Amino acid sequence: MATTKPEPRGAARLAQAGACASGLALLAIATAARAATAPPVEPTLAVSAVATDNAELASQGDRRKDVIGEVNAGLIVRSRGARLTVLGNAGLDFFAYARHSEPARVLPRGRLDLNSTLVDQWLYFGADLTASRTRADPLAAQSETSTANTVSSVSLRASPSIAHDFSPTLSARLRSDTTITRNHSDTSTPAPDGSTYQHDVFTLVRKPTPLGVQIDGLHDDTSYQGDGAPVLKTDSLQATLSAAPDSDVMLGVVGGREHAVYAGTTRDDTTYGGVLQWRPSPRTTLDLGAQHHYFGTGFNLHLHDRLPRSAIDFSLTRAAQASPATFGLNGPDSDPALLLGAILSSRTPEQPNSDRAVDDLMLTRNLPGAFTQPQQITSESAQLATRGQLNLIYNGQRNTFYASGWYEKATALPGSVTITPGLSFDSRQWGGSLGLYHRLTPQMSGAAEVEWSSIEALGTRSGDSQHQFAGTLSLTQRLGPRTTLSAGLRHFASHVVLNSASTTSEVRENQAFAGLRVQY
């Protein structure tokens, strides 16, 4: 969990990783700019002031009033070319406190994705840069407008791959994913150690016509910063026999062997299961897989459906993990703009027009940049994790509505022998959010938003828990084609129970805020 030893050079390493990732992103953007006919980069700038009666998110009786100034500088990148695509929304958030309740901080945020073709039909390269925030203490309060109890997490993924179609039915792919995550905190609570996640896969596919076969070789390796030994290492080889009884359905039977090393345990087991792919229309996709593994039953379900005015995305996964990168937290499916783009693509088929329509909605109705998700809790041990996420968005003539719900349970992998109690953190968490955005006049809209979350510690800290709730009312006035002014009120509440220390605490915060946002 987050109470691990500090690393003196952690900030320098984070800066190095960020500089390397920024250089990669800038190189991609510059290359795309030369090939694109439209400007691939749109700068954004937002300035806001938040008056709060509890800047440090302290317990009742220790509250301190302050005014938080925030400046958000970012880039919206949408460059699509024949050989290079760069997409994303990323930037830096600057926080300062008028009465110095918390130290001033600069926190990165957002995501940039790059996909390129180096050699046609053979060599490819992909990468992404992700910056997010999580809690220094998983069982303490955290508000989106305060830097109290906040850890900044930056992940960089590099994915070279070789892929080739030898014939219309026979293809092969070799891909290597390396994801490096570094965490940084400016508070007295040290940030959790970073991680390196290595994922290598080889795939040979003969498409079902109507019968097919697929052979997969897989290597996974997760290690933590400052510790050369892998926390979880798996190798597997399996084959899938598939059949396509119809053009929109594919069924498969999977079998193979796997080898896993974790927490002083070595496991060898036979894997078996099945897969289903269903594509009933261009708007609907369903992928389902379930297999027996060394840890029990693992499964993966993903459903995406788009209607003329709504889109839904549902995922459910159970797998072994030792890093948030395993599950792809803060991935593209956490971005409301992507679901909005799927809805609007049927009305504005040309991609640039669809992008502009999404930007206009996000700006004028002050929609959130991401759906709520489970907290990134770094346990520093191999775990069995079950995670579910449901995102729904509806867009009408005057109303936009979204709903999000999630659940995650993470416990030590069965058979774990060596687990450090101070570093391991088993937990169960769930939560969600709702938002309604209504256009009051052609230039003004109102919004009502609520979000909630609960985290329960399991294992050695069973009985410890934290629950929090936030509600927001706001108005947004359009001042120009790309400029808006927003103001509103927010209430935040948190309840913490620590049975391990026989204590309980309550946190309450009220805010009034106003801000100006410009998208160039």
Side-chain angles (χ1 to χ4, degrees):
M1 57 176 287
T3 56
T4 62
K5 59 184 182 301
E7 173 129 6
R9 292 180 295 171
R13 294 184 179 180
L14 179 67
Q16 292 171 1
C20 178
S22 299
L24 176 66
L26 289 174
L27 176 62
I29 292 169
T31 305
R34 291 194 298 267
T37 58
V41 179
E42 295 184 23
T44 64
L45 180 65
V47 181
S48 63
V50 179
T52 172
D53 63 358
N54 192 356
E56 297 174 300
L57 299 181
S59 301
Q60 300 291 81
D62 297 324
R63 298 162 65 159
R64 182 176 179 179
K65 296 181 180 179
D66 208 333
V67 175
I68 306 172
E70 183 177 351
V71 177
N72 316 108
L75 297 174
I76 297 176
V77 185
R78 292 195 187 96
S79 176
R80 300 177 178 89
R83 304 180 66 89
L84 177 66
T85 297
V86 184
L87 301 173
N89 187 340
L92 296 173
D93 296 339
F94 302 81
F95 294 88
Y97 291 74
R99 299 181 61 188
H100 309 290
S101 300
E102 292 282 330
R105 293 189 68 178
V106 180
L107 299 176
R109 58 164 172 81
R111 181 184 178 95
L112 286 173
D113 292 281
L114 177 149
N115 289 286
S116 63
T117 300
L118 303 180
V119 178
D120 284 334
Q121 302 182 28
W122 277 101
L123 187 59
Y124 304 87
F125 180 78
D128 67 54
L129 173 65
T130 304
S132 60
R133 299 163 198 169
T134 187
R135 304 181 190 183
D137 180 355
L139 297 179
Q142 183 192 44
S143 170
E144 66 176 70
T145 55
S146 171
T147 60
N149 191 38
T150 296
V151 168
S152 176
S153 180
V154 177
S155 295
L156 174 65
R157 175 185 63 84
S159 304
S161 63
I162 299 173
H164 185 69
D165 293 334
F166 298 98
S167 72
T169 60
L170 182 64
S171 62
R173 185 184 70 162
L174 177 63
R175 173 168 168 155
S176 177
D177 296 322
T178 303
T179 304
I180 299 174
T181 301
R182 292 295 181 260
N183 305 306
H184 179 66
S185 174
D186 286 342
T187 65
S188 57
T189 303
D193 287 342
S195 64
T196 300
Y197 173 60
Q198 186 68 41
H199 175 79
D200 304 315
V201 61
F202 168 76
T203 303
L204 180 65
V205 180
R206 184 189 183 278
K207 295 180 181 179
T209 55
L211 299 178
V213 63
Q214 177 172 320
I215 299 175
D216 295 287
L218 178 69
H219 170 78
D220 273 349
D221 190 324
T222 303
S223 60
Y224 285 108
Q225 189 177 4
D227 187 358
V231 180
L232 174 62
K233 181 180 179 180
T234 59
D235 296 279
S236 66
L237 180 65
Q238 62 184 24
T240 303
L241 299 179
S242 58
D246 201 350
S247 60
D248 58 2
V249 177
M250 191 279 287
L251 302 171
V253 178
V254 184
R257 292 285 294 178
E258 66 183 349
H259 172 81
V261 179
Y262 62 93
T265 302
T266 300
R267 300 287 298 273
D268 291 279
D269 209 337
T270 300
T271 62
Y272 54 87
V275 295
L276 165 66
Q277 292 182 357
W278 185 41
R279 305 290 188 269
S281 73
R283 303 188 308 269
T284 305
T285 62
L286 173 65
D287 294 284
L288 173 62
Q291 291 188 47
H292 169 78
H293 292 277
Y294 63 91
F295 55 80
T297 301
F299 50 79
N300 180 59
L301 168 65
H302 184 235
L303 171 67
H304 181 87
D305 186 44
R306 170 176 58 87
L307 297 174
R309 291 196 176 276
S310 64
I312 185 172
D313 191 277
F314 174 70
S315 61
L316 181 63
T317 306
R318 186 175 193 256
Q321 70 156 21
S323 167
T326 309
F327 270 150
L329 292 180
N330 304 300
D333 59 347
S334 67
D335 187 352
L338 290 183
L339 291 186
L340 273 177
I343 298 172
L344 298 178
S345 62
S346 59
R347 307 179 209 172
T348 54
E350 293 185 5
Q351 193 67 55
N353 293 335
S354 180
D355 291 342
R356 283 291 185 181
V358 171
D359 288 347
D360 188 66
L361 272 174
M362 297 290 290
L363 182 69
T364 58
R365 299 190 185 179
N366 201 26
L367 296 175
F371 292 112
T372 58
Q373 293 191 96
Q375 288 293 317
Q376 297 183 38
I377 299 177
T378 302
S379 177
E380 301 203 23
S381 63
Q383 293 183 309
L384 176 60
T386 303
R387 180 175 187 258
Q389 176 101 27
L390 173 65
N391 297 325
L392 167 69
I393 194 162
Y394 167 85
N395 182 58
Q397 293 292 335
R398 297 175 64 90
N399 297 297
T400 300
F401 170 79
Y402 81 87
S404 177
W406 46 264
Y407 170 85
E408 182 173 303
K409 180 181 180 181
T411 56
L413 274 174
S416 297
V417 176
T418 56
I419 296 179
T420 305
L423 301 181
S424 178
F425 189 88
D426 294 348
S427 63
R428 175 172 52 229
Q429 51 179 316
W430 64 91
S433 58
L434 298 171
L436 175 63
Y437 307 84
H438 178 68
R439 181 164 57 85
L440 301 171
T441 71
Q443 304 300 327
M444 177 180 288
S445 63
E449 303 163 287
V450 295
E451 61 179 71
W452 63 94
S453 66
S454 295
I455 299 178
E456 292 182 354
L458 304 174
T460 57
R461 294 190 62 180
S462 180
D464 293 356
S465 64
Q466 191 267 350
H467 311 274
Q468 69 179 45
F469 166 88
T472 305
L473 295 174
S474 63
L475 290 174
T476 299
Q477 173 69 41
R478 187 169 191 163
L479 303 180
R482 314 290 281 172
T483 305
T484 58
L485 175 66
S486 299
L489 302 172
R490 181 181 293 112
H491 174 72
F492 174 85
S494 172
H495 178 72
V496 179
V497 177
L498 299 179
N499 283 345
S500 57
S502 301
T503 63
T504 62
S505 61
E506 300 281 346
V507 173
R508 296 287 185 273
E509 182 194 23
N510 296 298
Q511 297 180 352
F513 61 88
L516 182 71
R517 186 176 189 273
V518 180
Q519 183 168 320
Y520 297 95

